[in-house]
Amino acid sequence: MIADIGTTWTKILDGKYYHILLTKDIIKEKWYFRKATGHLGKNFSKIYINELEALARGSRKLIKENNFIVVDVGSRDIKYVEFKNGFFSKLDWNQSCGATTGFTLELIMNYYGLKSEDIIVTESKPSPITCSVFGLEKVFDSIINNISPEVAIGDFIKSLVYNIYEFSGKPEKIYLSGGMCENVAFVKALSMLCEVFLLGRFVLLEGIK
Amino acid sequence: MKKIGYYGYPPDSFIKYYKERGYEFIDLDIDYNKPNVDILPKTTCQIIKNILTNALTYKDEIEKIIATTGKDKCDNGFFVAKILKNLGFDVIFTENTNKIRKETPISDSILPLAEKIDLIMKSIITPISIDLKRAENPKFGFWGVPPNDFSILEFFPEDTIVLGWVRAVEASVPSDIDVELYVPENLKVVFFAQSFCSKSMLAKFLAEKYNGLFIDLDRNATSSIKAKIEAFIRLNR
């Protein structure tokens, strides 16, 4: 068994079967993997490969192009890798300004009982926010001013997405990896800025296979 | 023994003068794990915080401080010298403007990177004479100043070339911007600067220019900083 042990979710490959479990249960039940990557991978595996390397190797296997940019948006950070002419070219990892992007989104949507399908992403210009935690203030401020949670969170997502787009160097095309592939509002907001291809949640696992 | 604090790379003549008079030198740039004194803004480079913290920690032992205050250090090196003077220290204002370049055998050798940088910085006070094997086909470079946290250096292979200000120090020309900006072609380079240091402008610019990796850190390296360096090295091997 191999695993990508993220902050909130653990993605597991057992033979040919993929599973997603809550990381808090993995910790509680003291799971141990042959090979792992991810935030908590070091403590629960025999062989550890760091997330950026796993993302680079996984995306290289999955994407049949020589020049591409892949961005992984997880619970607590944003990872970026670029390939040029078939070779690794650049990487970056944003844990500070990209702090808790996925986690905060999940938190605020759960708080208002909303699913990503309920969120309204408008054509409005994204507000400048430094990170998701500071962005939350704007959400509450908008709601106080009679804007619906669906629109306020949609604006919040647009701002987060714009930060990610800038962090990635404003490319024409992004391959998106991680949990945000399943958030339709997030994907819609990113698609307003560039072409988006979804890779799903198992790219890092592919990289450590 | 009489002690004298210093930071940066003071002119050799000052070092010689105080060595001959029996002074023991204390490098104030280094983080000796003392709690930061709460005088400077939080958005100050950790090395500058170290200088002030160390000076105040060793106040009773230090007779004088040789401050480097010009292009050989940075603007904050000048400002912190002024602050130290105001706090009652006997501060000698210097600027190392030497332009006669020496060879850089340590920077170009095969040794663990942390050891290389440590040797170069120690050679400011005590000349180093050891047999070194030259890196023949280096693939990686480390550009910048000595990091506050040396743990980021453990990921580099032993034939990593030292570039930037540390190389300029070994060449005895800490204010020579041409040596500082020198980056060989086809080398994969990590461009490092302390957070809030104005050298981060150069580091970021050069990282873009040479398709390298820009890294900045404050006091201690986070796991993501280490992972970036580790992945950069492993993916470029």
Side-chain angles (χ1 to χ4, degrees):
Chain A
M1 263 199 300
I2 62 173
D4 167 13
I5 311 176
T7 308
T8 312
W9 297 99
T10 294
K11 286 71 72 180
I12 297 168
L13 177 59
D14 182 9
K16 56 181 181 176
Y17 299 105
Y18 289 93
H19 309 278
I20 298 179
L21 300 176
L22 274 168
T23 295
K24 65 179 181 185
D25 292 338
I26 300 289
I27 297 168
K28 198 170 144 194
E29 293 160 15
K30 296 184 177 148
W31 287 51
Y32 199 76
F33 299 91
R34 179 173 63 80
K35 209 191 263 187
T37 183
H39 174 210
L40 293 160
K42 237 177 221 172
N43 304 331
F44 295 90
S45 66
K46 195 173 171 190
I47 301 165
Y48 170 75
I49 294 170
N50 92 43
E51 294 103 301
L52 271 172
E53 189 182 345
L55 177 65
R57 295 196 189 283
S59 57
R60 179 64 286 191
K61 280 188 203 171
L62 296 170
I63 300 166
K64 308 298 174 202
E65 283 178 46
N66 284 331
N67 301 303
F68 65 86
I69 283 169
V70 60
V71 178
D72 183 278
V73 184
S75 274
R76 69 163 194 154
D77 56 27
I78 303 160
K79 292 178 274 289
Y80 154 91
V81 176
E82 183 175 356
F83 277 79
K84 273 186 187 164
N85 302 318
F87 293 99
F88 160 73
S89 170
K90 261 186 187 175
L91 58 80
D92 208 347
W93 187 343
N94 193 334
Q95 269 189 327
S96 310
C97 299
T100 66
T101 299
F103 181 79
T104 313
L105 258 183
E106 205 167 320
L107 191 79
I108 190 94
M109 290 197 308
N110 284 344
Y111 181 75
Y112 286 103
L114 297 170
K115 290 179 186 153
S116 66
E117 294 84 354
D118 304 325
I119 304 298
I120 299 166
V121 180
T122 65
E123 295 287 338
S124 66
K125 205 177 160 198
S127 312
I129 58 166
T130 48
C131 79
S132 54
V133 177
F134 289 121
L136 273 184
E137 191 190 336
K138 281 196 184 297
V139 174
F140 294 126
D141 199 44
S142 299
I143 292 168
I144 290 165
N145 288 303
N146 294 323
I147 292 173
S148 72
E150 287 85 347
V151 172
I153 295 173
D155 288 347
F156 172 57
I157 290 174
K158 281 197 76 171
S159 301
L160 289 178
V161 159
Y162 191 77
N163 280 357
I164 292 164
Y165 175 62
E166 276 205 320
F167 174 68
S168 317
K170 296 185 175 178
E172 287 177 6
K173 183 159 84 175
I174 284 179
Y175 283 90
L176 184 65
S177 154
M180 283 302 125
C181 288
E182 292 171 8
N183 186 313
V184 292
F186 185 94
V187 174
K188 184 179 175 187
L190 187 58
S191 302
M192 288 173 170
L193 300 168
C194 61
E195 213 177 343
V196 182
F197 291 88
L198 306 179
L199 295 175
R201 302 178 76 173
F202 302 112
V203 180
L204 275 70
L205 277 181
E206 194 64 37
I208 64 168
K209 253 192 207 173
Chain B
M1 196 182 210
K2 295 179 290 185
K3 288 182 181 169
I4 189 162
Y6 74 99
Y7 58 85
Y9 179 1
D12 290 335
S13 55
F14 281 83
I15 294 167
K16 186 167 177 276
Y17 180 86
Y18 286 103
K19 264 172 94 174
E20 284 171 356
R21 278 150 188 80
Y23 279 88
E24 182 189 332
F25 286 73
I26 299 176
D27 186 348
L28 301 178
D29 280 319
I30 293 175
D31 188 345
Y32 298 111
N33 279 322
K34 306 287 179 196
N36 282 328
V37 290
D38 196 17
I39 294 177
L40 303 174
K42 286 189 170 42
T43 50
T44 305
C45 157
Q46 182 59 40
I47 305 298
I48 299 297
K49 287 182 192 164
N50 291 347
I51 294 167
L52 197 60
T53 298
N54 291 332
L56 290 167
T57 304
Y58 300 108
K59 189 169 187 169
D60 295 337
E61 299 171 51
I62 294 172
E63 276 189 21
K64 295 169 190 295
I65 292 172
I66 310 177
T68 44
T69 59
K71 287 197 173 85
D72 53 334
K73 184 69 176 171
C74 59
D75 285 346
N76 284 343
F78 174 69
F79 298 144
V80 81
K82 283 286 186 190
I83 292 170
L84 289 165
K85 184 102 181 152
N86 263 272
L87 291 171
F89 286 93
D90 181 359
V91 181
I92 305 156
F93 286 67
T94 70
E95 183 174 355
N96 190 335
T97 55
N98 180 43
K99 290 286 177 201
I100 302 164
R101 295 174 189 171
K102 290 182 184 166
E103 296 289 307
T104 52
I106 305 172
S107 295
D108 300 328
S109 67
I110 299 177
L111 269 182
L113 182 57
E115 209 175 306
K116 271 185 222 181
I117 294 178
D118 191 43
L119 275 176
I120 292 168
M121 299 318 293
K122 281 182 176 156
S123 73
I124 291 175
I125 304 300
T126 311
I128 307 287
S129 160
I130 52 168
D131 282 336
L132 294 162
K133 198 174 168 196
R134 188 182 167 83
E136 293 301 335
N137 295 301
K139 193 152 189 202
F140 295 97
F142 174 85
W143 184 99
V145 297
N148 191 69
D149 182 349
F150 266 43
S151 69
I152 63 165
L153 306 175
E154 68 194 34
F155 301 102
F156 292 84
E158 292 196 354
D159 59 353
T160 299
I161 299 301
V162 177
L163 300 164
W165 187 77
V166 182
R167 189 180 187 88
V169 167
E170 191 187 8
S172 287
V173 288
S175 60
D176 189 333
I177 192 71
D178 293 331
V179 173
E180 192 165 351
L181 293 179
Y182 165 70
V183 179
E185 293 292 333
N186 303 322
L187 212 58
K188 293 291 176 188
V189 181
V190 173
F191 293 89
F192 166 77
Q194 284 295 139
S195 302
F196 316 116
C197 170
S198 46
K199 282 190 194 294
S200 56
M201 279 197 298
L202 288 178
K204 179 88 168 62
F205 170 76
L206 293 172
E208 285 295 323
K209 182 176 176 184
Y210 294 103
N211 201 30
L213 177 67
F214 168 64
I215 292 287
D216 70 324
L217 72 82
D218 190 12
R219 188 160 197 175
N220 297 113
T222 60
S223 56
S224 71
I225 289 174
K226 289 183 182 180
K228 274 199 265 192
I229 297 172
E230 186 186 30
F232 182 80
I233 300 284
R234 285 174 60 93
L235 292 165
N236 275 308
R237 271 189 198 276

